[in-house]
Amino acid sequence: MMMLWGGTATSQTIVDYDFTTCVNAGYIGNGAQWDPYQLDYGHGKLSFTEAEWQKIYRRLDFMRPQLMRVVHNTAELMQGGRLDPMGNFDQVRHILDYCQKRNVSVIFGDWGWGLADAKTKTFSRRKVEMAADYVTWLVKDKGYTCIKYYNMINEPNGYWSTTEGDYELWRDLTRCFYQRMKHNRMLQSVKLVGADLAIWTPAEVNWQRKAAQEIDFGLYDIHTYPSKTTVNSGEYSRIIHAYKEAVPQGHKIVMGEVGLKFVEPADSLYQQENLRRAAALPYASMDDSQMFIFDYMYGTDMADVLMQTANSGYSGCVAWMLDDAMHSAERPDKLKMWGFWNIFGEEFFGGGQEKIRPWFYAWSLLTRYMPAGSDIYRTTVRGSASVKGLAVEKDGRRMVAVLNVSKKPQQVILKGQMVLSDCKRFDYAEGRLCLSDARILLPNAEHLTLNLREGHTIDMPGESLIIFNDFNE
């Protein structure tokens, strides 16, 4: 069907929300990667003020994350061959205090640097055991029961990893960690998560299958950095489906790290612009930055990732990453710019960098209204392939989301066999955000009745996300 939009013909798409067919039960939740900050950017060491921590907390309180990933390096806590758990603890406690008080589940983990030597195919048993002792100290001695999962070695299948893609080395190291956790009587409190593979195609699925037979994982995860065209075309769902299918029965899988890159030829013009923008900022890494974090487009593309991930049966999604100031690449002052902000903008990197970037609001809406324990229901789209849908329910409260990833406006009819009463509407699109003085997103409309039985027609701008929900605040 063709309709007119300001005199221009545009196709009409129907999104049907079927709240009788659950496709993904017991969702764990969404969130972001929140690691200890490097602090020394080559021009003198910075330090956090309590006001800066509180600013982050206030922003996260709008998002309401349910799942956060926190990765550190145990080897950096070694002093004279002994574990110094207080090393860097001020940062760790501020991160974990937030998660503990807000009932956020944490995937804690180790980058792995200094634990293994891929050239000699060996690892330090003592250091691996100290990694287990450290998380034991955090949970038992310091009371951080928010740590539910542990990830030993980041992206072990990659050539950039400490294990350099050596499966046997990673397996043996992980088994050593597991045995120490068993010795510490921690396996009931903290489950192993893995295999933490970085994937772009289904080719790595055999690593996951093999690991599932040899290691006792309580939760599975993968990392993805797909190209924009891979996501928007829907090809992304096919790729990640292979890893969901390889998960043993009775177990769940989450997207442990996700961001978008421009790696496919179809996205080459975006990559050229990405590099141009990085070169124009003195503190941006040319090797590892996503400079479209300043554009509304990145918010809709990341929403596309999250919606496809949830509809594919994954139980959570962790965005890379919370804050630019956490990590650098080529040199200490060349930041990996992927964050929702840079908390040291006013202090060092430029005041504008501390402002909340648009994609925070898209990700936050799909985190806040997908609370832990939610169920995902079947959504069917007829019409434009650029329109996506998501249906969520928790304790009788519902959220329906509709996404337009194209640059063109779309007229969409929302349908289903239910009515949402007294619901709120949020619009994520350039020029549509309704923000408070504190830059917190407010509803565009409240006390609405969304009658899906009769069909509800909305006009969507290009690159927009619209959410209706009747959750109690």
Side-chain angles (χ1 to χ4, degrees):
M1 179 183 293
M2 299 295 292
M3 302 294 291
L4 289 179
W5 176 296
T8 303
T10 185
S11 59
Q12 189 179 66
T13 297
I14 297 173
V15 181
D16 193 288
Y17 301 95
D18 178 7
F19 277 96
T20 66
T21 306
C22 180
V23 298
N24 188 357
Y27 201 73
I28 295 173
N30 304 318
Q33 179 119 355
W34 191 9
D35 301 327
Y37 294 65
Q38 72 176 57
L39 297 181
D40 187 346
Y41 305 98
H43 304 274
K45 191 172 184 179
L46 303 182
S47 60
F48 263 100
T49 65
E50 192 59 34
E52 286 165 334
W53 285 115
Q54 292 302 320
K55 179 180 281 191
I56 295 174
Y57 291 174
R58 286 193 300 272
R59 293 174 175 185
L60 286 177
D61 280 346
F62 173 74
M63 180 189 287
R64 291 185 187 170
Q66 302 289 299
L67 181 66
M68 300 293 266
R69 185 170 183 254
V70 181
V71 183
H72 81 129
N73 213 47
T74 301
E76 294 179 357
L77 302 179
M78 301 285 290
Q79 297 291 335
R82 298 171 64 88
L83 179 68
D84 175 19
M86 295 305 296
N88 207 30
F89 183 63
D90 186 63
Q91 285 201 67
V92 172
R93 75 172 179 87
H94 273 94
I95 294 170
L96 295 181
D97 278 352
Y98 180 89
C99 296
Q100 184 71 26
K101 291 174 182 176
R102 271 76 166 183
N103 199 30
V104 179
S105 294
V106 172
I107 298 174
F108 202 79
D110 199 306
W111 296 111
W113 303 115
L115 300 185
D117 184 342
K119 299 296 186 295
T120 61
K121 299 182 180 296
T122 60
F123 65 90
S124 169
R125 178 174 297 275
R126 178 170 176 75
K127 290 180 180 179
V128 171
E129 289 179 348
M130 285 186 178
D133 291 347
Y134 180 62
V135 73
T136 299
W137 179 79
L138 287 172
V139 175
K140 288 188 174 180
D141 292 17
K142 307 308 289 185
Y144 290 119
T145 55
C146 57
I147 300 174
K148 304 296 184 185
Y149 310 101
Y150 196 97
N151 164 217
M152 175 48 73
I153 305 297
N154 182 67
E155 300 176 354
N157 62 314
Y159 65 84
W160 56 88
S161 172
T162 189
T163 50
E164 297 183 13
D166 187 323
Y167 173 83
E168 286 75 19
L169 175 59
W170 166 77
R171 178 200 61 199
D172 294 346
L173 186 156
T174 303
R175 283 174 167 173
C176 175
F177 178 85
Y178 179 90
Q179 289 301 320
R180 185 66 171 189
M181 291 289 278
K182 184 177 181 180
H183 174 270
N184 292 350
R185 301 180 184 274
M186 285 290 293
L187 295 180
Q188 294 302 313
S189 303
V190 178
K191 307 292 185 184
L192 282 185
V193 59
D196 209 59
L197 306 176
I199 69 100
W200 281 267
T201 72
E204 301 287 341
V205 73
N206 286 335
W207 179 306
Q208 180 174 303
R209 289 197 182 103
K210 191 174 182 181
Q213 296 172 351
E214 298 186 322
I215 299 172
D216 184 12
F217 288 118
L219 180 70
Y220 288 81
D221 85 312
I222 59 171
H223 295 184
T224 57
Y225 286 87
S227 205
K228 174 179 170 63
T229 188
T230 303
V231 175
N232 293 163
S233 68
E235 174 68 7
Y236 181 69
S237 291
R238 184 192 69 82
I239 294 170
I240 65 173
H241 177 75
Y243 296 88
K244 172 64 172 69
E245 289 299 295
V247 171
Q249 188 173 5
H251 288 74
K252 295 183 178 183
I253 184 170
V254 299
M255 194 62 63
E257 214 180 276
V258 66
L260 266 77
K261 293 187 175 182
F262 305 117
V263 295
E264 294 296 333
D267 291 331
S268 60
L269 292 180
Y270 286 113
Q271 178 61 0
Q272 290 176 29
E273 175 62 11
N274 190 56
L275 293 174
R276 186 196 69 80
R277 293 184 185 187
L281 276 179
Y283 297 113
S285 166
M286 291 287 290
D287 293 344
D288 195 352
S289 288
Q290 172 50 272
M291 302 307 294
F292 280 81
I293 50 178
F294 300 98
D295 294 40
Y296 281 77
M297 180 190 80
Y298 194 68
T300 51
D301 285 346
M302 286 294 282
D304 196 359
V305 165
L306 192 156
M307 291 165 73
Q308 289 188 50
T309 301
N311 283 327
S312 296
Y314 284 66
S315 295
C317 212
V318 177
W320 177 268
M321 57 185 187
L322 187 80
D323 194 323
D324 294 348
M326 296 190 304
H327 300 294
S328 62
E330 301 97 304
R331 61 177 198 248
D333 62 353
K334 287 293 185 179
L335 300 182
K336 296 184 178 184
M337 292 189 64
W338 289 83
F340 297 125
W341 53 73
N342 182 331
I343 197 60
F344 293 133
E346 294 179 5
E347 186 172 347
F348 187 75
F349 294 103
Q353 300 301 321
E354 200 158 323
K355 294 179 180 178
I356 297 174
R357 295 161 188 163
W359 78 284
F360 168 79
Y361 299 109
W363 194 262
S364 291
L365 287 172
L366 292 175
T367 299
R368 183 182 182 94
Y369 297 115
M370 297 178 69
S374 296
D375 295 330
I376 314 300
Y377 287 83
R378 184 168 63 192
T379 302
T380 305
V381 179
R382 288 172 286 160
S384 172
S386 296
V387 174
K388 319 292 176 75
L390 181 69
V392 175
E393 182 178 44
K394 169 74 184 297
D395 297 334
R397 300 293 178 175
R398 290 168 172 156
M399 182 268 281
V400 296
V402 59
L403 175 70
N404 175 21
V405 297
S406 75
K407 296 186 181 299
K408 298 179 180 179
Q410 301 277 348
Q411 187 168 80
V412 180
I413 302 175
L414 311 182
K415 290 189 172 183
Q417 296 303 311
M418 42 82 70
V419 176
L420 266 70
S421 300
D422 195 23
C423 69
K424 301 174 290 293
R425 170 175 167 161
F426 291 89
D427 288 20
Y428 172 84
E430 190 164 8
R432 292 279 193 100
L433 296 184
C434 184
L435 297 174
S436 71
D437 291 342
R439 311 296 294 174
I440 296 301
L441 191 62
L442 303 173
N444 293 78
E446 296 183 86
H447 311 299
L448 302 175
T449 297
L450 182 66
N451 192 333
L452 298 181
R453 293 172 184 162
E454 295 181 357
H456 184 87
T457 301
I458 57 174
D459 294 325
M460 300 191 69
E463 297 174 343
S464 62
L465 169 68
I466 296 177
I467 283 178
F468 296 89
N469 77 86
D470 63 358
F471 279 87
N472 290 326
E473 296 294 330

